Amino acid sequence: MISAPADPTTAASVSPAADVLSDTYDRLGIRLHDGVATLRIWSGDASAVEVVVFDDDDPDWIVETLPLSPAGGGVWEVTTPVLRPGVRYSVRVDGPHGPGMTFNPATLLIDPYARGLAVPGIHSWRSVVVDECFDWGGVRKPETPLDRTVVYEAHVKGLTKRHPGVPAALHGTYAGMAHPAMIEHYQRLGVTAVELLPIHAFASEPRLLQLGLTNYWGYNSVGFFAPHAPYATAAAQAEGAGAVLREVKGMVKLLHQAGIEVILDVVYNHTSEQGLGEPRSSFRGIDNRAYYRQAEDGTYIDVTGCGNSVNTSTDAAARLVLDSLRYWANEVQIDGFRFDLAPTLGRDASHTFTADHPLLRAIIDDPALTGVKKIAEPWDVGLGGWQTGGFGTGWSEWNDRYRDRVRNFWLSDIDYSRRADVTPVGIGGFATRLAGSANTFSAERGPLASVNFVTAHDGFTLHDLVSYDVKRNDANGEHGRDGADTNRSFNHGFEGPTDDEAVLRTRRRAMRNLMGTLLLSAGVPMITAGDEIGRSQDGNNNAYCHDSDLTWYDWDLSDWQEELRAHVELLTRIRRENPALRPVRFAHADKTVPSASVIDWYDEHGQTMSVEQWTDPSHRTLQYDAQSTPEHEAQNRILLVVHGRERGTDITLPALDGVTRFVPLWSSVDERPSDHADVRTPGETFPAAGTSMYLFRAE
């Protein structure tokens, strides 16, 4: 088990991650050297371990069986010339019987460190020896600063499946993701990083297969090192696991050449082995007691909702996660990771979350992961699982508080006001999120700890958020029980598709307000692929099991979709050009903080906001003045006007010291971005439309 120093007087000098980094766990898996291969497997309770090697042509014909010898610390190893690149193999493990012990010497198991996997049949896997050589050609990681990062969350298959500029043979593939037509799309849109839904090898649950569905999103990992082969081109799949890995690396190389980073959504919290009695493919047969959280009687403690939870309170499991990260960050040159259900990784032996967990500390402190972006999804379904703001320095977090407040302000509050002629809350909470969520993240961590999002793969799309009050999930085969019931959405007067132009016009403005808020807020913005064109899933807010037109990006755009995309392109450019919109640190009232934004707030009359106005439900208008404190860029100042009522109002621009004019940069009122707006002066009054935003550069 991971243990603290025995002597409290030496605690400060001993890393709490020391046991995770023990050399006991070095070089696990296959290592090719000197014309032979060494295989090392860890199993703390095993009594015997062997590797079986399969025929090159028949994946079920065992041609050789080799025993592994104990090497100390629970590690078993063998060195042999038989395990050469392209060879398929499995391990078999025997051990004692008892609570939590599920050893079976007849079961063929995946090497947890396998860099390649083959699938000879349903729920059947073979590890594959992979030659990892690849010519990177001197291409380096873009190393985009976090304040300049704009994340684009995308699905490898869904994004490229129907792109008319991508050759058919590359549709839905790693190679397709890096095709010039796709790179042009990322660059035009102004995103700096693609965050890929899981590409670790994964499987569909038997329940879904029985329903004729599939695990489309991929949050059901089989292994943590091998890439998901079905996302490779048919040619690479036919050539084998080595070619699949080369295609992944080729994708990363081409994206890096274009200045685009690659972030992986990684699922280390559970595996596809599900609950006890379900498929046994790897951990459960190697050392179930060590790899999965369970009670003394062997009952699983499931804090993920997926049947099992990886037990990172054991050093071997924690080290496996760390080694996987090191591999992808260095051998595959991945730029960052988004950790699914991250609190699960930070639970100790009593299953309690702690931000100082040895694995979480090791991920931040490991020199092999220096400069790699670390983004936590800060919740799981266990006791104490909601941890937004609870991770340590070095972590960024998906900010669900931001998501909920922004949705409330532009959608559910507007719905409420139509019914009651008053909104339930004022503008104070919205302003806090706009300025970087200082009430959630410490000054030490700053605004870049917040990954801001309005939508994600999980939930309504942006279009459906403004078009449906109620989810439409019947096609998922769970009788509508799945997916969130509280979405803070608003259909604007009609549920679902409509030809009513007034409703459609209001919905389009709501989408522009939501996207404008996202891209003009302090923090790291994340756009869900397809939101820039108003992609719909017909009201399905949990489309994880649909690999179809419902979830694929449709590149055949109508005029309004082109217009929405033009707004997003302009907003990302404005963000890039105005450092006042992307502070690195929170400002301080008593001293100048480099790379912060000094913020002043004004009401619709151009007067400083009063304490009462922040909480007054009838007050829904503010002017946000942000002035950068230069460190690496020229001084910059912006004024953002936000009006959160459907009735228009008059806005008097504030008199700011040293400011003689306000140059218009963007407005959510325009159907298509306009560059013909008038320059305005301090003290000038102009009419603001209902539910609108106006951005100016203060000069």
Side-chain angles (χ1 to χ4, degrees), residues 662-667 674-680 695-697:
F662 294 105
V663 178
L665 299 179
W666 175 78
S667 169
S674 171
D675 55 4
H676 301 302
D678 295 331
V679 173
R680 300 190 182 276
L695 179 68
F696 302 91
R697 185 173 60 246

Side-chain angles (χ1 to χ4, degrees), residues 97-425:
H97 299 284
M101 303 291 191
T102 55
F103 294 107
N104 185 334
T107 304
L108 299 171
L109 302 169
I110 297 168
D111 169 8
Y113 280 75
R115 268 61 163 172
L117 291 175
V119 188
I122 297 176
H123 305 308
S124 177
W125 301 86
R126 303 286 184 264
S127 304
V128 181
V129 182
V130 172
D131 181 354
E132 299 177 47
C133 293
F134 183 79
D135 182 8
W136 289 96
V139 175
R140 301 178 64 85
K141 294 183 178 184
E143 298 182 346
T144 306
L146 203 52
D147 70 298
R148 289 180 170 270
T149 297
V150 178
V151 178
Y152 189 60
E153 189 198 39
H155 189 283
V156 169
K157 183 174 184 179
L159 185 62
T160 64
K161 178 66 177 174
R162 303 172 70 181
H163 196 299
V166 174
L170 305 186
H171 281 167
T173 68
Y174 299 117
M177 282 292 298
H179 186 272
M182 293 305 307
I183 288 174
E184 189 275 336
H185 170 68
Y186 311 136
Q187 293 177 330
R188 175 181 174 182
L189 200 58
V191 298
T192 68
V194 290
E195 180 177 303
L196 302 180
L197 268 66
I199 68 166
H200 287 170
F202 64 85
S204 292
E205 295 86 338
R207 178 186 62 83
L208 290 178
L209 296 176
Q210 290 170 3
L211 292 171
L213 300 171
T214 183
N215 190 317
Y216 172 68
W217 287 348
Y219 292 89
N220 200 39
S221 301
V222 172
F224 297 151
F225 289 82
H228 191 58
Y231 290 163
T233 56
Q237 292 184 58
E239 189 176 341
V244 171
L245 179 59
R246 287 193 295 274
E247 186 172 318
V248 174
K249 291 180 177 179
M251 170 191 72
V252 174
K253 178 180 177 179
L254 289 172
L255 290 173
H256 283 178
Q257 282 180 326
I260 304 295
E261 292 188 317
V262 181
I263 298 171
L264 297 188
D265 195 333
V266 286
V267 189
Y268 295 119
N269 57 81
H270 76 281
T271 77
S272 62
E273 291 185 306
Q274 302 178 73
L276 286 170
E278 298 292 342
R280 173 171 28 197
S281 58
S282 185
F283 293 167
R284 184 169 293 141
I286 292 174
D287 197 323
N288 180 60
R289 193 75 183 169
Y291 277 115
Y292 292 123
R293 295 186 180 275
Q294 52 197 280
E296 288 300 317
D297 65 357
T299 303
Y300 276 9
I301 295 172
D302 179 13
V303 298
T304 68
C306 300
N308 65 66
S309 302
V310 173
N311 186 8
T312 53
S313 72
T314 64
D315 298 326
R319 178 61 178 269
L320 175 70
V321 172
L322 189 65
D323 284 346
S324 172
L325 294 170
R326 290 168 163 177
Y327 171 74
W328 287 95
N330 294 288
E331 296 301 320
V332 194
Q333 291 290 289
I334 295 302
D335 304 279
F337 302 94
R338 178 267 187 188
F339 294 81
D340 184 63
L341 303 184
T344 302
L345 307 183
R347 291 181 179 271
D348 59 21
S350 68
H351 317 297
T352 302
F353 173 81
T354 170
D356 204 35
H357 188 283
L359 175 58
L360 299 185
R361 283 284 302 276
I363 290 170
I364 296 300
D365 296 340
D366 192 343
L369 298 177
T370 298
V372 173
K373 294 175 172 66
K374 296 104 175 174
I375 302 169
E377 180 186 38
W379 52 81
D380 63 19
V381 301
L383 186 65
W386 186 72
Q387 290 292 333
T388 305
F391 282 70
T393 301
W395 288 93
S396 296
E397 301 175 34
W398 272 25
N399 189 349
D400 56 323
R401 290 180 173 182
Y402 177 95
R403 174 200 64 199
D404 293 348
R405 178 60 68 180
V406 171
R407 288 186 180 190
N408 282 348
F409 185 81
W410 290 119
L411 299 175
S412 57
D413 286 1
I414 302 300
D415 182 19
Y416 189 98
S417 70
R418 284 193 183 185
R419 304 169 192 272
D421 200 35
V422 65
T423 53
V425 296

Side-chain angles (χ1 to χ4, degrees), residues 556-601:
D556 184 14
L557 307 183
S558 59
D559 289 345
W560 74 266
Q561 291 178 300
E562 295 275 12
E563 291 165 354
L564 178 59
R565 184 171 64 178
H567 275 278
V568 176
E569 293 167 1
L570 175 58
L571 285 163
T572 56
R573 178 169 64 81
I574 289 170
R575 183 179 183 86
R576 185 167 59 248
E577 295 174 352
N578 291 272
L581 292 168
R582 42 183 176 80
V584 175
R585 304 176 182 91
F586 291 125
H588 193 283
D590 300 324
K591 60 182 179 182
T592 299
V593 178
S595 293
S597 287
V598 177
I599 298 171
D600 291 300
W601 306 93

